């Protein structure tokens, strides 16, 4: 990332008086990046508000400062802020409050977009988009480094949580030299590596694995496109109602370890006639972000998602799961 851009942003933040910071929902990178920024703004004695459009998944409750994140958008008015810092959102709709931003943002307030999704549409007044970055947390870290900002233990833990989330602890293709180097730096700065790994990995319950079991039993391969796919129905979530939606993301990552498919896909029935799709690949020449975009979604080349209308049914004749 161009150091001058990161230094310019620093100046803008220093000049701002009240800063709104948020990421997209339910993601360890977005939440980690939001909290890292929040801790830094607090150290500058800035006024700020950290927001997440949905409740924070329990697995991130260990992150320092997480209790400060506001999750109800009725609790603030954006006209109070002179800088809106949007992290890890490929487009404005990922904020969950696009309409509110449109209505309430002051004309003189800056919208700053810091992100690494390769579907990013440059929605900000200022855009710091690096699609080669493993995580938004690595961009936030670069920003701190470019401006000689000292990282404390809290900031380091939040940023490392972002890197670990988006690289699946250095096991997925988002892993690169820069992420490993930055992680080493964050360890030196005191990041609680064991706590993060424990929280990101030791979080399955017997019920959640039984839900995985249903999905794994239905696994099918589309030979033409080399896509292994499965479905989860509303009934499954009724039967295992305690299982959190993060369990499905974990399943998508687990299925990505298949050696006899290029792409894996989970279709999951949501309430209101919606179906949510999760796509993963480890192939260099596959871009699931493009596939997701085709269905109105977005994401990365290696991990992406979309939402469509429909219902999932089993076709007895063809012995195949279908969307109707
Ligand atoms: Mn991310």
């Amino acid at each position: 990332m161009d150091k001058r851009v990161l230094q310019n942003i620093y100046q803008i933040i220093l000049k701002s008086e009240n800063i709104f910071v948020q990421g997209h929902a339910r993601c360890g990178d977005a939440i980690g990046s939001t909290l890292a920024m929040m801790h830094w703004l607090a150290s500058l004695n800035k006024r700020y508000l950290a927001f997440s459009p949905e409740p924070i998944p329990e697995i991130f409750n260990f992150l320092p400062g997480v209790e400060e994140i506001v999750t109800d958008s009725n609790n603030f008015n954006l006209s109070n802020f002179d800088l809106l810092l949007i992290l890890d959102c490929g487009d404005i709709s990922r904020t969950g409050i696009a309409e509110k931003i449109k209505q309430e943002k002051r004309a003189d307030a800056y919208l700053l977009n810091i992100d690494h999704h390769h579907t990013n549409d440059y929605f900000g007044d200022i855009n710091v988009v690096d699609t080669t970055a493993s995580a938004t947390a690595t961009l936030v870290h670069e920003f701190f480094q470019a401006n000689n900002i000292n990282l404390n233990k809290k900031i380091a833990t939040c940023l490392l949580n972002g890197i670990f989330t988006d690289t699946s602890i250095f096991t997925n293709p988002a892993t690169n030299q820069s992420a490993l180097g930055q992680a080493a730096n964050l360890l030196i700065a005191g990041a609680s590596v064991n706590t993060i790994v424990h929280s990101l990995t030791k979080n399955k319950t017997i019920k959640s694995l039984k839900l995985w079991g249903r999905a794994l039993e239905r696994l099918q391969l589309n030979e033409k496109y080399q896509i292994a796919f499965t479905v989860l129905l509303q009934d499954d979530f009724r039967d295992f109602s305690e299982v959190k939606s993060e369990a499905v993301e974990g399943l998508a990552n687990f299925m990505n370890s298949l050696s006899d498919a290029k792409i894996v896909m989970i279709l999951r029935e949501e309430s209101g006639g919606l179906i949510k799709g999760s796509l993963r690949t480890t192939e260099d020449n596959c871009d699931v972000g493009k596939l997701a975009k085709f269905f109105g979604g977005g994401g990365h080349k290696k991990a992406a998602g979309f939402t469509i209308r429909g219902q999932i049914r089993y076709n007895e004749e063809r012995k195949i799961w279908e969307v109707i």
Side-chain angles (χ1 to χ4, degrees), residues 27 29 88 116-117 135-136 166 300:
C27 161
D29 183 25
D88 206 35
H116 68 129
H117 290 88
T136 295
D166 274 16
H300 304 286

Side-chain angles (χ1 to χ4, degrees), residues 76 96 260:
F76 55 86
D260 41 7

Side-chain angles (χ1 to χ4, degrees), residues 234-248:
Q234 287 262 289
D235 281 350
D236 302 324
F237 288 96
R238 258 191 292 275
D239 295 346
F240 301 109
S241 56
E242 307 84 349
V243 178
K244 303 271 179 332
S245 61
E246 289 75 51
V248 180

